[in-house]
Amino acid sequence: MLKSLYSLYRSIIDKLSLLDGLAPLMFRLILAPVMIIAGFSKLNLANSELDWWQRLLADENVVAWFGNAQWGLGLPAPDLLAFLAGWTEFLGGWLLLIGLATRLVSVPLAVTMFVAATQVHWHNGWFSVAPSNPDTSAAQVFAWLGSDAAEQSLQASTEVAERLSRIKEIVEANGLPEYLYEYGHPVILNNGIEFAAIYFAMLISLFFTGGGRFFSVDHWVRKLLEPDPRYLP
């Protein structure tokens, strides 16, 4: 009986494996627009007042942020690093979108996410948006496991809730709540590593899986070059 159930399970899994390219496809569709616009915003591509070659360079404000040690990243050679970061994200995002050279491009993009997490967001903790309810905060799980940092996060959630309540009271008394809340209620930005870490994990996954069966250019290029189905992703 157990052997029959396992055989049925394996049969279903083997059939579903034909669609294992869907997961990499979804990762790519999530990551691609994020990377493209991040790179685009670092470059001068939209500045029509500059000469064509200057539009290929990094925006001067981004360069200043990369290089300034007081309010920026304090990195060496900021012009070069901002240029490389911008084009890595911009071109890499388009390659992810179509699934071309997926494994290759995932490496530098993962590096940019690692740098963003450790150099920009690390000191803000995990959450991108500060939780306002300690009972539903993901930190609760680690608090159950005895983490002091998680306990501090839960205490911060209570304080966040108090501040949000105060903001809403002020808006209700002095503002235009229907207008201000039309597209959503206010939150407190924590600016932690959450998104950078998630994107990093997704890129590492794509490095190991590739662009995915059927739904990437990589698949069809590899099928053309290596027609033996044993070698297809």
Side-chain angles (χ1 to χ4, degrees):
M1 179 66 177
L2 182 61
K3 188 174 182 179
S4 298
L5 289 174
Y6 180 74
S7 297
L8 176 62
Y9 166 77
R10 287 304 312 170
S11 176
I12 294 173
I13 292 299
D14 289 342
K15 289 181 173 61
L16 289 176
S17 66
L18 290 173
L19 297 176
D20 59 13
L22 284 174
L25 173 65
M26 288 187 285
F27 276 15
R28 287 168 30 224
L29 291 178
I30 292 170
L31 287 164
V34 174
M35 298 301 166
I36 291 170
I37 199 62
F40 184 80
S41 65
K42 289 182 176 67
L43 303 170
N44 283 317
L45 293 174
N47 193 341
S48 58
E49 297 180 358
L50 299 176
D51 293 333
W52 68 268
W53 62 271
Q54 291 177 311
R55 295 174 66 180
L56 302 178
L57 302 178
D59 181 91
E60 61 181 9
N61 294 319
V62 176
V63 173
W65 180 63
F66 267 55
N68 193 289
Q70 295 181 343
W71 48 264
L73 300 179
L75 298 175
D79 297 82
L80 176 61
L81 292 179
F83 173 83
L84 292 175
W87 280 106
T88 295
E89 292 172 339
F90 186 68
L91 293 180
W94 288 110
L95 291 173
L96 283 182
L97 187 63
I98 63 175
L100 178 60
T102 305
R103 285 187 170 92
L104 182 62
V105 76
S106 292
V107 174
L109 288 175
V111 170
T112 63
M113 291 300 98
F114 180 80
V115 172
T118 57
Q119 299 299 314
V120 181
H121 305 287
W122 187 265
H123 65 282
N124 294 322
W126 171 260
F127 293 107
S128 177
V129 174
S132 58
N133 186 349
D135 294 332
T136 58
S137 171
Q140 184 69 68
V141 176
F142 294 98
W144 291 338
L145 298 175
S147 170
D148 292 336
E151 288 289 352
Q152 294 174 7
S153 177
L154 295 178
Q155 293 175 9
S157 294
T158 301
E159 296 178 5
V160 167
E162 292 176 357
R163 286 162 172 76
L164 285 174
S165 177
R166 180 60 177 152
I167 290 171
K168 292 177 181 179
E169 288 176 3
I170 294 173
V171 171
E172 292 288 343
N174 304 286
L176 301 170
E178 292 185 1
Y179 168 74
L180 293 175
Y181 297 158
E182 182 178 1
Y183 296 105
H185 286 264
V187 297
I188 293 180
L189 182 66
N190 190 60
N191 205 26
I193 70 170
E194 183 175 8
F195 287 155
I198 291 172
Y199 297 153
F200 176 82
M202 294 168 71
L203 288 162
I204 293 299
S205 177
L206 287 175
F207 173 75
F208 287 105
T209 65
R213 194 196 308 256
F214 301 132
F215 302 107
S216 68
V217 174
D218 286 337
H219 169 82
W220 298 105
V221 169
R222 196 167 183 180
K223 187 173 183 180
L224 178 65
L225 299 178
E226 300 177 8
D228 190 332
R230 292 176 300 172
Y231 299 106
L232 292 177

